[in-house]
Amino acid sequence: MSTLISEFRKIISTKFWWVLTLIVAGYVAMTDSILAFAASMAETMGDMGTGQEVMMPQGEEFALFVYSSGASLCYVFPAILGALIVNSEFRYQTITPTFLAQPRRGRVLIAKLIVALPFAALTGVVLVATSIAAGGGVLALTDQITGLEEPKVWEFFLRVVAAMTIWGLVGVGLGALIKNQIAAIVGLLGFTQFLEPILRLIPLFTGEDYQFLQYLPGAVNDAISGVSMYSVMMPSPSETLSLPIALAVLAGYALAFTIGGYFTTFRRDIS
Amino acid sequence: MRVEINHLTKRFGSVKAVDDLSFTVEPGKVTGFLGPNGAGKTTTLRAALDLIKPTAGNVTFDGKRYREIGKPMKQIGAALEASSFHPGRKAIDHLRMLAPAVGAKQAQCLKVLEFVGLADAAKKPVGQFSLGMRGRLGLAATLLGEPKVLLLDEPNNGLDPEGIAWMRSLLREMASKGCAVLISSHMLSEVQLAVDDVVIIAKGKLVHASPLSELADMAGEQTFVVPAYGEGFETLCRTRGWNFHRRGYGFEVVGPSAQEIGHVCYVEYLELHQLSSQSQTLESVFFAMTENQEAAS
Ligand SMILES: Nc1ncnc2c1ncn2[C@@H]1O[C@H](COP(=O)(O)OP(=O)(O)OP(=O)(O)O)[C@@H](O)[C@H]1O
Ligand SMILES: [Mg+2]
């Protein structure tokens, strides 16, 4: 218990948790409102005489599409938050006093996982609130359907918070596995923002479906939230995991990274 | 609480940072843990605190390993390098983050901060602290749990003369309350006034352990020798186990009298150009001891 309180105080006495939460809010406010606004322009201007049939969802499906635009990218922020909870201790060597206070290192790692939960969940809640305010606000102002009375939309919001929360745990595990702060964050961003999107586009060119693609972290994230930018972009949306399986897979990533980190970083000499 | 270092060995790759080191830190005494840079002082302390895993041997506190002590910070206060702080965290928050481990409240955190002279800096981020202030904050953290053992790595680092005097009186007071205190330093003169016992290491090996007074007795007996052939004389010192320290063309030899040296050289057919008794400082005894150990390895 005392280790938990220590870990909680460590987070709130630094800035990164609210800085990352603010970034989520800013990012979502931007993407959601731009998308909602652009749609209203497109509607008033018609199809701009190109004669092309644009495959755009309608009504509350479109509202969901707007809300998901931030969500399908913002999961990296709770992951960075989780990673920093571990990495900053090694970067500034505060891991020394931490292990002096609690020499049972496994307990420190478990405490970090537990305290990451509320902070990661907060990024999810802030994301949803911003989505409603910015995306919903612009949709309403431009006389489009906000979908805010639809249970389906609220289920989506709940799923997003769940996904963001588990991403916090994935981050803690990743931070434990990759001790170096810069390496951990570059690795996280590089994989999720660059490598994975490329991998997920492969079926578009080969025409084949690859089973492993649905287990990639970003695809799992989409499966949890239930709405994906990719499913809109792809001509034939590939299979996605069911919600319970997707939750389990993401939690599995967190668990595997954490165990890996425990047996490497947390077992090593601190000098 | 008695601290026992038992045949401690730690290798880093091919480097033996600590080599079969054994000594005891007695309760009620201040022990100076001395050795030149790289001697293995910090490594010994880290091994004692279960931060690094010894290659062999161990360190116990009243028979228990650090990790076997429940709430260890209530028994053992340890401060290592002065850099173990998050630069964005306020001083008071650094203590508040450690406080749950010893069951201390906010008032206790403020009290120790005031005690180490940082009351005015409580709300400042540690990134703005000077080296001496960081040292004081590290010390405040060790005192939070009112420990029975203090292990301090170079506690005088960055302190002004006033701070060093203050530190000395603090250590003496802790010892008089029955605390076992160990302070490391690479300068005997820096801790000479504060310690009861001295433990000297070099290259990871124990060179000398005794009360300070015994070390002081060894001072004053030093002979300055200028041999015709330095190498021959050096070999002689080694085989006889005399501690020596090269100075210029000559050798400062600690231990044997000038008479004894002269006699042995005569018997061994070693030509001497100069042989004179000198009085010697404590510091040069220390130098002679650590240098010999380094040359021998
Ligand atoms: N993590 C490490 N990896 C490799 N070698 C190390 C490591 N830590 C210490 N060493 C080596 O172990 C030896 C002892 O180092 P240590 O820091 O214990 O010395 P010290 O007595 O504290 O020196 P100083 O007075 O400079 O603080 C040195 O040769 C050092 O290079
Ligand atoms: Mg050192």
Side-chain angles (χ1 to χ4, degrees), chain A residues 78-84 86-87 166-176 254 257:
Chain A
I80 291 175
L81 191 145
L84 286 182
V86 182
N87 291 139
I166 303 176
W167 272 105
L169 304 184
V170 174
V172 171
L174 189 75
F257 289 165

Side-chain angles (χ1 to χ4, degrees), chain A residues 6 9 13 100 269-270, chain B residues 10 51 66 89 96-97:
Chain A
S6 283
R9 287 182 179 175
S13 59
L100 289 182
D269 286 348
I270 306 298
Chain B
K10 177 66 187 180
L51 293 168
Y66 189 79
R89 194 173 276 139
R96 275 172 48 80
M97 117 196 166

